[in-house]
């Protein structure tokens, strides 16, 4: 049976046309503008015979279709394997665009992906600039760091088991020269080695286990699924992570992580006199409730590092553990409130039992907190969407492990403002500014200003 005939029989089963005023009145999705890339994409697929949009066999290109109608066509088209590469790439892109509508139709995008291709590639190309002025540094001039980063993230479906094999390959290079840049381990620190670097920093399998979404291998781990701060850690461990979505609408969750963590002294922004390096057994447990559109959100979590082995025989890590134990504990609590789908206020507080350096004169370094007010939400699939936020952060260097922040450094406190903006579909821009103080120097009138600016552009594929 010819490709056009087979697909026409399937897609011809659509019983709802764009001209149906009854459906349009009840349809909860907005119309897709006739000049959007999605409309043009479906037009091309129709012209190629991949979809025939209406029961009478015609494609009414002069009318605006609803997102729901387009999602129906995409769902049908993604089950086809006898289409050329260009049309298949277009169908995959449409599936990403209409993933929410496909889910509402009861069609899981991952199930369709399995039918269309056993291996799926994704990734990101990033360019960023970071400038830091630190009065406590030997060179008090502003340092400037510009970098390129390419991430490739292959995903392979393991039969019909519901499991996938995943990896992340990262290439890093200084923007000033093709062969001169900080290594991946130096990415959040100023300076670096005189070479580019490539590393596979994640390699794991993911699937259903013990009623959870399980990840096994060298897995990504991120603290705070509720507010998305990553205040304690944003890194990888060699071990396992289990995430249970709870409740009818999955607004509650529990997450457990266990494994071996390799802590690198260059993992955080800025240079600290008390940086430490080594490996340790890592464990974490987190529970949270995330308000959907309005209401209260909450977080409670616990993290630990034990059996710490300092790098290169150094005792620089263990000097900050409790004197009578090789285990360090971190506790975190957080509360937030969504006033509506656009405005959210939240705060987190963290405390560790790490000792501070002898004769330490600065602020309390065994605590950290973050208070943030956020407006709107940028969505990389929706050009023109944006968010604006303002936050106050206090990040004791003994209260966090490897936070995700780009310019808010451990051993600092201060104000930060930021903007995210979706420039185009799959293109996101960000600008951040931080004005603060070095905790380890902000006493007895010492100069301790720490100011930073950060900008980046991400291209997702």
């Amino acid at each position: 049976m010819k490709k056009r005939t087979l697909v026409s029989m399937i897609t011809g089963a659509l019983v709802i046309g764009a001209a149906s005023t009854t459906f349009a009145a009840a349809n909860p999705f907005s119309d897709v503008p006739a000049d959007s890339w999605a409309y043009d994409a479906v037009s091309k697929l129709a012209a190629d015979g991949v979809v025939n949009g209406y029961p009478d066999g015609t494609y009414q290109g002069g009318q605006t279709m609803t997102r729901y109608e387009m999602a129906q066509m995409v769902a049908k088209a993604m089950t086809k394997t006898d289409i050329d590469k260009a049309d298949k790439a277009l169908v995959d892109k449409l599936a990403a665009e209409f993933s929410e509508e496909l889910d509402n139709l009861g069609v899981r995008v991952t199930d369709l992906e399995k039918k269309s291709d056993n291996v799926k590639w994704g990734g990101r190309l990033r360019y960023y600039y970071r400038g830091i002025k630190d009065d406590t540094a030997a060179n008090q001039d502003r340092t400037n760091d510009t970098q390129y980063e390419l991430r490739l993230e292959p995903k392979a479906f393991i039969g019909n088991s519901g499991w996938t094999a995943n990896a992340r390959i990262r290439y890093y290079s200084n923007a000033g020269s093709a062969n001169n840049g900080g290594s991946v381990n130096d990415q959040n620190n100023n300076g670096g080695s005189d070479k580019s670097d490539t590393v596979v920093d994640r390699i794991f399998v993911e699937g259903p286990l013990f009623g959870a979404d399980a990840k096994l291998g060298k897995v990504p781990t991120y603290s705070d699924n509720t507010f998305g701060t990553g205040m304690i850690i944003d890194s990888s461990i060699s071990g396992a992570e289990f995430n249970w979505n709870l409740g009818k609408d999955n607004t509650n969750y529990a997450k457990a992580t266990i494994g071996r963590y390799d802590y690198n002294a260059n993992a955080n922004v800025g240079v600290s006199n008390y940086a430490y390096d080594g490996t340790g057994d890592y464990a974490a447990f987190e529970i949270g409730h995330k308000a959907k559109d309005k209401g209260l959100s909450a977080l409670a979590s616990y993290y630990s590092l034990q059996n710490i082995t300092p790098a290169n025989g150094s005792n620089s890590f263990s000097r900050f553990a409790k004197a009578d134990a090789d285990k360090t504990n971190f506790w975190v609590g957080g509360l937030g409130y969504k006033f509506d789908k656009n405005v959210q206020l939240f705060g987190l507080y963290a405390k560790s039992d790490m000792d501070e350096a002898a004769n330490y004169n600065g602020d309390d370094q065994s605590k950290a907190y973050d208070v943030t007010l956020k407006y709107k939400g940028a969505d990389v699939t929706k050009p023109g969407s944006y968010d604006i936020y303002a936050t106050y952060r206090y990040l004791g260097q003994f209260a966090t492990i490897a936070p995700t922040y780009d310019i808010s450094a451990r051993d600092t406190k201060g104000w930060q403002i930021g903007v995210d903006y979706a420039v185009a579909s799959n293109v996101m821009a960000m600008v951040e500014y931080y004005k603060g103080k070095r905790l380890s120097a902000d006493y007895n009138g010492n100069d301790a200003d720490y100011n930073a600016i950060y900008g980046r552009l991400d291209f997702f594929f």
Side-chain angles (χ1 to χ4, degrees):
M1 183 178 293
K2 291 183 178 180
K3 172 177 68 177
R4 179 184 293 269
T5 305
L6 175 62
V7 178
S8 297
M9 290 176 60
I10 296 173
T11 58
L14 291 171
V15 295
I16 303 171
S20 172
T21 57
T22 301
F23 173 80
N27 172 30
F29 304 103
S30 60
D31 287 347
V32 176
D35 60 353
S36 76
W37 75 266
Y39 188 90
D40 292 340
V42 173
S43 298
K44 182 182 184 303
L45 292 175
D48 291 346
V50 179
V51 295
N52 282 357
Y54 299 95
D56 62 2
T58 64
Y59 184 75
Q60 301 174 21
Q63 296 197 37
T64 299
M65 300 173 63
T66 66
R67 291 182 63 88
Y68 186 80
E69 290 171 313
M70 283 194 173
Q72 287 180 306
M73 290 185 181
V74 173
K76 301 292 185 181
M78 286 194 71
T79 63
K80 303 298 105 194
T81 58
D82 57 343
I83 59 177
D84 61 36
K85 290 184 178 179
D87 283 343
K88 180 183 176 300
L90 203 53
V91 170
D92 290 343
K93 189 176 180 182
L94 285 165
E97 168 68 19
F98 296 101
S99 59
E100 182 178 346
E101 287 82 0
L102 288 167
D103 284 345
N104 288 337
L105 285 170
V107 180
R108 296 295 302 172
V109 176
T110 51
D111 292 338
L112 295 170
E113 288 171 346
K114 286 189 294 183
K115 295 177 182 178
S116 63
D117 197 346
N118 188 51
V119 179
K120 183 175 177 64
W121 285 83
R124 179 181 69 192
L125 176 65
R126 168 177 289 181
Y127 171 81
Y128 76 74
Y129 162 79
R130 179 189 292 118
I132 295 177
K133 189 176 187 308
D134 186 350
D135 284 353
T136 66
N139 180 4
Q140 296 187 10
D141 293 335
R142 181 175 296 277
T143 60
N144 299 295
D145 178 27
T146 54
Q147 298 279 354
Y148 292 113
E149 180 189 4
L150 174 65
R151 295 183 180 184
L152 296 177
E153 301 179 9
K155 174 190 290 187
F157 297 95
I158 303 173
N160 295 317
S161 64
W163 285 79
T164 59
N166 307 266
R168 187 171 76 174
I169 306 161
R170 302 176 70 186
Y171 170 79
Y172 225 82
S173 178
N174 186 280
S177 170
N179 297 307
N180 179 23
S183 69
V184 171
N185 286 335
D186 294 327
Q187 62 178 292
N188 286 331
N189 198 21
N190 301 311
S193 61
D194 293 333
K195 67 182 182 68
S196 300
D197 203 357
T198 302
V199 66
V200 179
D201 65 347
R202 295 176 183 176
I203 183 165
F204 62 96
V205 293
E206 180 176 7
L209 186 65
F210 306 133
D213 176 67
K215 297 176 183 176
L216 311 173
K218 190 170 185 179
V219 305
T221 187
Y222 186 90
S223 61
D224 179 15
N225 284 9
T226 302
F227 305 108
T229 63
M231 185 173 74
I232 301 299
I233 187 170
D234 177 12
S235 190
S236 299
I237 64 155
S238 295
E241 184 163 284
F242 301 88
N243 191 10
W244 291 270
N245 287 318
L246 308 172
K248 183 172 60 176
D249 53 1
N250 292 333
T251 55
N252 304 314
Y253 71 92
K255 183 172 68 173
T257 311
I258 189 168
R260 188 74 178 170
Y261 178 64
D262 184 358
Y263 188 98
N264 189 282
N266 293 325
N268 304 130
V269 179
V271 179
S272 170
N273 294 328
Y274 306 108
Y276 44 84
D277 198 353
T279 60
D281 292 333
Y282 175 82
F285 184 72
E286 179 177 316
I287 57 173
H289 168 73
K290 187 175 181 179
K292 195 170 184 179
D293 294 318
K294 183 178 180 180
L296 191 68
S297 297
L299 168 74
S301 53
Y302 165 80
Y303 312 86
S304 75
L305 283 170
Q306 58 182 319
N307 299 321
I308 297 167
T309 304
N312 302 320
S314 168
N315 66 352
S316 59
F317 191 103
S318 58
R319 67 180 283 202
F320 296 119
K322 291 180 72 66
D324 57 348
D326 65 352
K327 179 178 181 180
T328 300
N329 301 301
F330 304 80
W331 296 268
V332 180
L335 285 174
Y337 189 80
K338 270 192 170 183
F339 298 91
D340 54 37
K341 64 180 182 180
N342 291 325
V343 182
Q344 183 179 21
L345 175 66
F346 62 83
L348 287 86
Y349 180 85
K351 181 70 175 177
S352 81
D353 59 5
M354 293 184 84
D355 292 336
E356 296 177 351
N359 301 318
Y360 188 80
N361 295 316
D363 289 354
D364 184 359
Q365 293 268 22
S366 61
K367 69 180 181 182
Y369 54 87
D370 180 316
V371 180
T372 297
L373 178 64
K374 185 176 181 180
Y375 176 70
K376 291 280 191 178
D379 186 338
V380 73
T381 67
K382 298 178 180 178
S385 64
Y386 67 93
D387 60 56
I388 302 173
Y389 76 88
T391 185
Y392 183 82
R393 293 195 177 116
Y394 181 111
L395 300 173
Q397 59 183 308
F398 311 135
T400 64
I401 301 172
T404 193
Y405 307 126
D406 297 300
I407 51 176
S408 301
R410 295 169 60 250
D411 186 35
T412 70
K413 61 181 178 181
W415 287 94
Q416 181 169 321
I417 57 175
V419 177
D420 297 292
Y421 180 76
V423 179
S425 181
N426 293 333
V427 181
M428 184 70 74
M430 170 197 280
V431 177
E432 295 178 320
Y433 176 73
Y434 184 78
K435 182 175 178 58
K437 298 279 188 180
R438 277 284 183 192
L439 296 177
S440 55
D442 186 28
Y443 62 93
N444 294 334
N446 292 344
D447 291 333
D449 287 345
Y450 174 90
N451 303 323
I453 187 170
Y454 179 83
R456 76 177 183 219
L457 193 61
D458 285 314
F459 300 85
F460 296 89
F461 53 89

